[in-house]
Amino acid sequence: MITKRELYSGAAAIALAIALAPASAGAQQSALPVSIGATDIGGVVRGPNGPEAGVWVIAETTDLPTRMTKTVVTDDQGRYVIPDLPKANYVVWSRGYGVVDSAKTTSEPGKIVNISAVPAPSAAAAAEYYPAIYWYAMLNIPGKEMFPGTGPNGNGMATTMKSQLQWLDQVKTNGCYGCHQLGNKATRVIPSALGTFKNSVEAWERRIQSGQAMVNMATALGRQDTKISLANFANWTDRIAAGELPFAKPDRPQGIERNIVITQWDWADPKVYLHDQVSTDKRKPTVNAYGKNYGATEESAEYFPILDSQANRATMVRMPVRDADMETTKNNTLAPSPYWGEEAIWDSRNSMHNPMMDERGDVWFTSRVGKPDNPAFCQAGSDHPSAKAFPIKQSTRHLAFYDPKTGNTKLIRTCFNTHHLVFAEDADNTLWTSAGGPQQGVIGYLNRRIYEETGDEAKAQGWFPIIVDTNGNGKVDDYVQPNQPVDPTKDKRINAGFYGVAVNPVDGTVWGSVLGYPGYVIRLDTKTGLSEVYEPPFPGFGPRGFDIDRNGVAYVPLSSGHMGQFDRRKCKGPLNGPQAAEGKLCPEGWTLIPFPGPQFRNVAETGSAEASYYTWVDQFNTSGLGANVPMATGNANESLMAWVDGKWVNMRVPYPLGFFAKWMDGRIDDPSAGWKGRGVWTTDGNRTPFHRETGKGTQPQVVKFQVRPDPLAR
């Protein structure tokens, strides 16, 4: 039997908002009753001037098999209800913009917990709770007068840097921000454990050598120009150390943002990081209802974690390899880390990157199976149809799948590199893959029906080189190579590889994003073998992840701080011919939607300092926000961002600070259960989980987002 308790607030009038709080926390009426059930915690958050609207209330427990946290937002009267809490003891507190963390109270479901909000004592104290984007936007971007770079004997800027926007691309999604967040406390402050240095330039030079990713970090800064980049980051942290604060301030959650319920579970272990997780079949999100979530630990471990959210329990399964003597990331070059010292915490040979679930609940991974040299059937001289057309000598990541019913794992050696996965909506359940980068210049696939009928991994796979119809005859024929000029009598091959990948449900064409500056998206027609190339118009640049809606409209996050929307149906001119290889056809098909948050001060173009990693389209209304709603990872906003009816719904994760997702999916557990039967799932994908607010020992988390009809719905 569900019991109800009612809370009545005092009737104190509110005369004025506190100076540091947003306007939404200003004058309000007395709070009306809060009704809770036996599995809820509720109450009112009040500050010195009355109820606090739009602040977060957090309940966390370690009594369950794995740590669980649930977060909600107060309504316009400061009321909150945290629903559906398992029986346990919870620590409950509030935080928000304009206030600091309240005192923490231990309670349990079925209890009323009223919270006294604490106004931030200073602007600096208030800013500690801002998302990373507000701090990162303080970074100085070299002025346009520095471009194009003329090298060490000129203006010092690398000659490869042709424009300010190209440089910007490298300090955002396609450079530093691709692996971990910047602007959080761990990166905007030089840790004392790093050592003692003459100046901050030396400190930054040492910092980027820390840990097993030092080569990646040094390479990223080198592309921008190491000397200028180190000085720029040093200037940023020096200004912050001297007391400079963000020039922009975030607003408290408004409207739908106050209806969000966020549940988090620890999984894996503190020394690994998660790239992605999967909870259901993208094509049919009722698959695996109330089931387990599966993650990919990429370069950090040779197991994949599993979360049973119903039992609040996390486990793990080891992923095998065929070639036991493959190189492990444990041997990566490293300098001591301020967190882990000389310990090599990553140890992986298989580099599991992205999981995807099929209609049976089996989990498919991109995973390294063996050494780079390909089997003979992939190479020149093979009678394999794809190899005859375009032989491939090496591949560095392949396929694997796990059957949860039996616990069996199978490995599939592919000739092509794999990175992300997506199943087509066809009779063969074709599994399409991205390659991550341009090394091979092909788009690969596995015909699952053939693989299951024959067990022959060679027969079941194939790949397409990326051929553009520059002679305009509608078919693949002789083509020139990427380094050769266009010949109007021939086609042209493009040396590119998909990063994100999606299948258009309208016509079965395969689409993907291509990294680079300015980068582009590609459409492959598998019937003709021809591809179309579409470059985003400026000020848009720098694609990363990719998805498509049920109408065939494509969405891609851009390093420029936009979500790019591309609708091929709007194209007016021919989509082939001599100009097709340049990707500049159909600019009218693009719409650039600026992401939330401030833009860098000295960047005049639209956009924001957001560096979103991936876009996913909620095709089937798994979130409750509507069908075909595009969502982007708010990697600098510490959120997921949904584009709903022409406005952003910015679903921030306020605790622990530093949330950074790389993909998401949505599942419908019960179509008749309203908001409780739906949810969007993701995982904290930061390569440095110890950079989050809770520091060393922080585990990666599975995060579930649900949208209630109102902030008090139970």
Side-chain angles (χ1 to χ4, degrees):
M1 176 177 177
I2 296 178
T3 62
K4 293 185 177 180
R5 303 189 181 202
E6 294 185 334
L7 170 73
Y8 295 89
S9 74
I14 303 170
L16 185 67
I18 59 174
L20 292 172
S24 60
Q28 305 170 59
Q29 298 176 355
S30 299
L32 295 173
V34 173
S35 177
I36 65 170
T39 60
D40 313 320
I41 294 175
V44 175
V45 181
R46 288 188 183 84
N49 297 302
E52 291 281 357
V55 299
W56 293 281
V57 181
I58 303 156
E60 183 174 62
T61 183
T62 56
D63 288 355
L64 304 173
T66 191
R67 181 193 306 267
M68 192 195 81
T69 306
K70 188 163 280 196
T71 302
V72 298
V73 186
T74 58
D75 72 358
D76 61 359
Q77 298 177 55
R79 302 175 298 176
Y80 75 92
V81 172
I82 307 176
D84 298 330
L85 293 167
K87 184 177 176 58
N89 293 309
Y90 291 85
V91 176
V92 183
W93 76 101
S94 69
R95 67 171 35 172
Y97 302 139
V99 296
V100 296
D101 280 4
S102 68
K104 295 184 176 181
T105 301
T106 300
S107 190
E108 60 185 358
K111 296 292 182 67
I112 291 293
V113 179
N114 294 323
I115 298 173
S116 296
V118 181
S122 65
E128 291 296 317
Y129 297 90
Y130 292 179
I133 188 172
Y134 290 87
W135 294 93
Y136 195 53
M138 296 168 61
L139 183 74
N140 287 331
I141 306 301
K144 292 185 176 181
E145 72 279 358
M146 290 290 292
F147 303 93
T150 55
N153 297 322
N155 63 5
M157 183 64 68
T159 57
T160 54
M161 287 288 121
K162 305 300 182 184
S163 71
Q164 184 192 56
L165 298 184
Q166 184 184 3
W167 196 92
L168 190 63
D169 181 57
Q170 288 299 309
V171 296
K172 293 184 70 185
T173 316
N174 290 321
C176 303
Y177 233 107
C179 293
H180 64 81
Q181 195 176 78
L182 289 164
N184 53 19
K185 188 68 174 281
T187 55
R188 67 178 184 257
V189 173
I190 302 293
S192 58
L194 194 65
T196 303
F197 306 93
K198 294 179 182 178
N199 52 53
S200 295
V201 172
E202 287 189 2
W204 268 94
E205 186 175 20
R206 169 63 183 82
R207 169 182 250 181
I208 64 167
Q209 298 176 55
S210 298
Q212 293 160 273
M214 61 172 289
V215 173
N216 292 344
M217 291 190 288
T219 300
L221 258 66
R223 289 197 297 266
Q224 305 159 26
D225 184 90
T226 304
K227 185 176 180 180
I228 290 176
S229 295
L230 289 173
N232 203 41
F233 278 108
N235 170 269
W236 177 57
T237 51
D238 281 346
R239 286 159 38 221
I240 290 171
E244 185 175 335
L245 298 176
F247 57 84
K249 297 179 180 180
D251 294 325
R252 288 186 177 180
Q254 302 289 333
I256 295 173
E257 295 169 354
R258 295 186 180 178
N259 301 347
I260 307 301
V261 178
I262 298 171
T263 311
Q264 301 172 84
W265 296 264
D266 284 3
W267 67 343
D269 73 78
K271 294 183 180 180
V272 307
Y273 69 91
L274 269 292
H275 193 281
D276 290 333
Q277 69 78 45
V278 70
S279 71
T280 189
D281 183 347
K282 189 176 189 292
R283 304 163 298 176
K284 187 179 180 182
T286 53
V287 169
N288 194 42
Y290 296 109
K292 297 177 181 178
N293 299 64
Y294 302 83
T297 49
E298 200 181 17
E299 299 291 290
S300 63
E302 290 187 1
Y303 70 79
F304 54 92
I306 302 173
L307 173 73
D308 183 341
S309 61
Q310 299 302 297
N312 300 294
R313 185 179 303 277
T315 55
M316 57 187 70
V317 172
R318 189 166 186 82
M319 176 66 78
V321 295
R322 286 184 186 171
D323 298 341
D325 58 344
M326 284 194 296
E327 189 72 12
T328 169
T329 53
K330 191 173 185 177
N331 297 329
N332 288 3
T333 304
L334 66 87
S337 157
Y339 299 91
W340 299 99
E342 296 183 356
E343 182 181 2
I345 60 173
W346 295 352
D347 186 4
S348 174
R349 292 167 297 174
N350 44 34
S351 188
M352 287 171 284
H353 184 267
N354 178 225
M356 192 65 70
M357 189 174 288
D358 66 20
E359 78 284 359
R360 303 168 304 194
D362 291 343
V363 186
W364 295 74
F365 294 86
T366 53
S367 185
R368 188 175 295 132
V369 170
K371 295 179 180 179
D373 287 343
N374 270 336
F377 76 83
C378 306
Q379 303 194 43
S382 168
D383 60 359
H384 189 288
S386 294
K388 289 169 72 173
F390 194 85
I392 303 176
K393 291 183 178 181
Q394 292 187 326
S395 56
T396 55
R397 191 187 279 125
H398 316 102
L399 291 173
F401 80 90
Y402 171 73
D403 181 350
K405 296 178 288 296
T406 64
N408 293 331
T409 302
K410 291 188 178 180
L411 305 178
I412 302 171
R413 174 70 192 227
T414 59
C415 303
F416 46 86
N417 292 336
T418 67
H419 203 65
H420 289 102
L421 300 169
V422 68
F423 280 101
E425 298 181 29
D426 60 18
D428 293 329
N429 286 293
T430 306
L431 182 61
W432 290 93
T433 73
S434 72
Q439 296 88 344
Q440 297 171 326
V442 302
I443 302 166
Y445 66 90
L446 180 82
N447 184 309
R448 202 190 77 189
R449 176 186 58 80
I450 292 177
Y451 177 71
E452 292 175 345
E453 289 176 353
T454 67
D456 188 333
E457 63 185 15
K459 186 176 181 180
Q461 66 179 279
W463 56 94
F464 289 88
I466 302 173
I467 309 297
V468 178
D469 187 20
T470 48
N471 66 11
N473 67 0
K475 62 180 182 178
V476 173
D477 38 32
D478 289 343
Y479 55 82
V480 298
Q481 296 297 334
N483 60 350
Q484 295 176 319
V486 170
D487 181 339
T489 68
K490 297 181 179 181
D491 293 331
K492 183 174 176 64
R493 184 173 74 85
I494 303 294
N495 190 30
F498 283 0
Y499 188 83
V501 61
V503 177
N504 185 343
V506 176
D507 60 11
T509 54
V510 182
W511 291 66
S513 53
V514 178
L515 303 183
Y517 180 85
Y520 37 86
V521 299
I522 287 179
R523 172 187 185 267
L524 167 67
D525 186 337
T526 60
K527 297 181 179 66
T528 64
L530 290 169
S531 292
E532 297 166 1
V533 181
Y534 299 102
E535 181 182 290
F538 283 105
F541 59 83
R544 195 79 184 192
F546 181 91
D547 206 0
I548 202 162
D549 71 13
R550 301 301 299 177
N551 300 314
V553 179
Y555 293 88
V556 62
L558 298 174
S559 192
S560 55
H562 301 87
M563 176 185 280
Q565 178 193 73
F566 182 74
D567 188 346
R568 186 176 179 268
R569 298 171 300 182
K570 295 181 179 180
C571 297
K572 297 176 181 178
L575 302 179
N576 55 19
Q579 304 302 314
E582 298 179 10
K584 299 187 185 299
L585 304 178
C586 194
E588 65 273 14
W590 286 92
T591 301
L592 301 180
I593 305 166
F595 283 129
Q599 176 63 288
F600 295 98
R601 261 182 169 167
N602 53 339
V603 175
E605 287 76 11
T606 63
S608 84
E610 177 57 69
S612 178
Y613 187 91
Y614 220 97
T615 291
W616 172 79
V617 178
D618 187 3
Q619 297 181 353
F620 301 101
N621 190 25
T622 62
S623 64
L625 293 171
N628 284 326
V629 167
M631 297 186 182
T633 56
N635 297 94
N637 277 279
E638 306 187 12
S639 67
L640 297 185
M641 307 177 297
W643 183 246
V644 183
D645 297 328
K647 295 181 180 179
W648 286 109
V649 176
N650 199 358
M651 301 180 286
R652 186 178 177 203
V653 178
Y655 170 80
L657 298 170
F659 173 68
F660 182 100
K662 286 192 171 180
W663 192 68
M664 69 200 89
D665 72 343
R667 190 174 73 202
I668 300 174
D669 293 320
D670 184 349
S672 63
W675 70 272
K676 290 193 176 186
R678 298 169 185 267
V680 171
W681 298 83
T682 187
T683 183
D684 179 41
N686 204 325
R687 285 199 179 197
T688 51
F690 39 87
H691 278 185
R692 297 194 72 181
E693 171 187 359
T694 39
K696 184 179 178 180
T698 299
Q699 292 178 230
Q701 295 180 322
V702 176
V703 188
K704 182 182 183 181
F705 294 77
Q706 293 174 288
V707 183
R708 297 188 279 191
D710 64 76
L712 303 182
R714 298 192 288 109

